[in-house]
Amino acid sequence: LRARLGRLKQVDRPRLSTPELVGRDEILGSIRLGLDEARNRRGGVDLIIGPRGSGKTRLASELCTLGAIEGFQIVQIAIQDQ
């Protein structure tokens, strides 16, 4: 049985929960401020930029979650590398 288990490949499975976003208090404050501004009809545009692996997708996910909780309609666009 151990020999068979050793040959199985680990499969990525969707997580049931998202890990806590750590060390991003300043940027999360900015996101919340932007949501407040949008709620008061003073919208704007924020860009999330950074090198690969810096947490851009995770941050965008947090923004979408916070916006959805606040009742915003969420549209997320991603640009794929070519």
Side-chain angles (χ1 to χ4, degrees), residues 9-37:
K9 293 182 179 178
Q10 185 174 358
V11 177
D12 290 332
R13 293 189 177 125
R15 294 177 184 226
L16 296 178
S17 64
T18 304
E20 182 181 349
L21 193 60
V22 177
R24 299 292 180 110
D25 293 337
E26 185 177 337
I27 192 86
L28 286 175
S30 178
I31 287 172
R32 287 186 179 100
L33 179 63
L35 291 172
D36 288 341
E37 293 289 311

Side-chain angles (χ1 to χ4, degrees), residues 28-65:
L28 286 175
S30 178
I31 287 172
R32 287 186 179 100
L33 179 63
L35 291 172
D36 288 341
E37 293 289 311
R39 185 180 301 104
N40 293 314
R41 300 188 182 271
R42 292 188 303 261
V45 175
D46 288 318
L47 297 176
I48 301 174
I49 58 174
R52 283 187 175 171
S54 63
K56 297 179 301 293
T57 301
R58 176 67 180 89
L59 191 58
S61 175
E62 190 72 12
L63 170 59
C64 290
T65 299

Side-chain angles (χ1 to χ4, degrees), residues 35 60 63-69 71-76:
L35 291 172
L63 170 59
C64 290
T65 299
L66 290 172
I69 288 169
F72 287 92
Q73 180 178 0
I74 306 301
V75 177
Q76 187 174 0

